[in-house]
């Protein structure tokens, strides 16, 4: 698996620093709030697990799993809920925790679903952002760990065909792996 990596973008140490910084900022901003972290499965699980331990104010967690309907190679922007939240969102300050913000379609749809359930507030925290790829122009993360260029990255939860999620760092695979 390690031989499949072409280039490391963010090492374990760099990721730990990024997560610590986000956790500190979130802890300050949600001091007197009712924080509920909503992790979008599966890509954000590792980020979520580290981020919640970097947050020093009380919080609840929940998980949601969605899949986007594909039309050819493009995602349509309509997502299907595979696993819904258990917690009632009324009175909660929801922070959506995502692995990567790409076109923005998934998060845009998810945000509108969550908004319809009357939370006190709703914000987005993404580990990585690929701003060059955005097709939903006004969709921005309130908290963003780091930017990546328009390349397909894996590791730290992010997959290629469901593999490589267990790499402890974020990197790019060798070209021949993607074309296999
Ligand atoms: P969006 O709806 O286009 O913003 O899609 C975001 C989702 O696509 C993320 O939650 C990831 O699951 C997946 N994704 C986008 N870019 C990458 C990547 O570089 N590596 C792995 N997954 C990615
Ligand atoms: Mg994914």
């Amino acid at each position: 698996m390690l031989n499949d990596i072409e280039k490391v973008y963010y090492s374990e140490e760099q990721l730990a620093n990024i997560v610590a910084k986000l956790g500190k900022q979130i802890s300050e901003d949600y001091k007197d709030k009712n924080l509920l972290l909503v992790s979008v499965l599966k890509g954000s699980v590792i980020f979520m697990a580290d981020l919640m331990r970097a947050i020093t104010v009380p919080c609840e967690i929940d998980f949601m799993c969605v899949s986007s309907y594909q039309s050819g190679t493009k995602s349509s922007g309509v997502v299907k809920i595979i696993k819904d939240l258990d917690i009632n969102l009324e009175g909660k300050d929801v922070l959506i925790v995502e692995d990567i913000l790409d076109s923005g379609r998934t998060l845009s749809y998810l945000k509108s679903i969550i908004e319809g359930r009357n939370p006190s507030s709703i914000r987005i925290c993404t580990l990585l952002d690929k701003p060059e790829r955005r097709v939903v122009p006004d969709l921005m993360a309130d908290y963003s760990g780091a930017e990546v260029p328009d390349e397909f990255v894996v590791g730290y939860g992010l997959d290629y065909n469901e593999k490589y999620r267990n790499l402890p760092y974020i990197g790019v695979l060798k070209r021949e792996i993607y074309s296999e």
Side-chain angles (χ1 to χ4, degrees):
M1 187 171 69
L2 302 180
N3 292 333
D4 297 349
I5 297 296
E6 170 84 49
K7 185 168 62 185
V8 174
Y9 267 127
Y10 294 103
S11 68
E12 274 189 81
E13 196 190 347
Q14 286 173 314
L15 288 170
N17 286 332
I18 288 168
V19 172
K21 227 166 119 184
L22 288 172
K24 191 161 178 260
Q25 186 64 52
I26 292 166
S27 303
E28 280 167 24
D29 295 351
Y30 286 84
K31 226 177 274 164
D32 303 307
K33 307 269 186 195
N34 226 337
L35 177 59
L36 170 65
L37 300 172
V38 170
S39 160
V40 186
L41 295 171
K42 306 172 199 171
S44 74
V45 280
I46 299 182
F47 176 43
M48 175 77 162
D50 285 344
L51 181 67
M52 61 186 283
R53 285 176 290 178
I55 292 174
T56 53
V57 295
C59 73
E60 294 173 54
I61 63 166
D62 206 347
F63 297 87
M64 195 156 179
C65 186
V66 296
S67 83
S68 52
Y69 286 109
Q70 300 285 130
S71 56
T73 54
K74 286 200 187 117
S75 76
S76 60
V78 179
V79 301
K80 185 168 104 175
I81 299 175
I82 308 283
K83 187 237 170 272
D84 207 341
L85 300 170
D86 300 323
I87 294 178
N88 184 321
L89 300 187
E90 262 174 64
K92 306 289 183 194
D93 293 292
V94 173
L95 184 59
I96 302 176
V97 177
E98 250 288 38
D99 53 355
I100 190 164
L101 185 47
D102 189 34
S103 71
R105 287 192 178 102
T106 309
L107 272 180
S108 162
Y109 192 75
L110 213 60
K111 208 177 165 189
S112 68
I113 292 175
I114 289 177
E115 258 159 6
R117 297 180 185 178
N118 294 320
S120 291
S121 67
I122 171 164
R123 284 185 182 169
I124 293 170
C125 174
T126 186
L127 175 65
L128 301 175
D129 191 1
K130 271 187 199 172
E132 284 170 55
R133 297 259 305 168
R134 197 80 82 256
V135 300
V136 185
D138 53 351
L139 194 90
M140 286 201 294
D142 302 279
Y143 304 92
S144 169
E147 286 191 3
V148 281
D150 184 8
E151 278 188 89
F152 199 85
V153 292
V154 297
Y156 198 72
L158 290 130
D159 72 304
Y160 173 62
N161 284 344
E162 295 298 329
K163 300 261 166 50
Y164 304 101
R165 294 192 197 273
N166 56 327
L167 284 175
Y169 47 81
I170 297 215
V172 176
L173 295 174
K174 288 177 181 158
R175 198 172 288 266
E176 62 260 32
I177 311 277
Y178 291 118
S179 52
E180 258 168 20

